[in-house]
Amino acid sequence: MAIAVYIFIETTQGKARAIAREITRIPGVRTAHSVTGPYDVVTYVEAESISVLGDFIVTKIQAIPGVLRTLTNVVIDGE
């Protein structure tokens, strides 16, 4: 069963737009936007499973220079 999540990303100052652009090139990412508020980038990701998602977050998102921390929220509605 596929899993969908929103990942809220805090970045170093001035890096949000560049990081959002870089994230959009990663397979599995549906959208990534720089935003205002306590987080700098919000992205929507779909993965095959929770284990694939966990690996994805650590090896793809958190490995980007300038990413300070992430908060992942799982989508629970079916649509």
Side-chain angles (χ1 to χ4, degrees):
M1 175 157 71
I3 185 168
V5 298
Y6 286 94
I7 303 172
F8 297 83
I9 303 164
E10 185 179 339
T11 70
T12 55
Q13 187 174 359
K15 293 288 190 175
R17 287 183 178 160
I19 288 172
R21 282 192 301 272
E22 186 171 344
I23 288 171
T24 60
R25 293 190 284 263
I26 301 171
V29 172
R30 299 296 175 234
T31 62
H33 302 281
S34 55
V35 297
T36 62
Y39 292 93
D40 304 303
V41 176
V42 176
T43 186
Y44 178 76
V45 174
E46 294 176 349
E48 297 173 19
S49 68
I50 195 77
S51 62
V52 170
L53 176 67
D55 184 59
F56 174 87
I57 292 169
V58 172
T59 64
K60 304 290 187 202
I61 302 290
Q62 292 178 348
I64 296 172
V67 170
L68 297 176
R69 93 190 59 194
T70 61
L71 173 70
T72 304
N73 293 271
V74 177
V75 174
I76 58 171
D77 64 15
E79 299 176 44

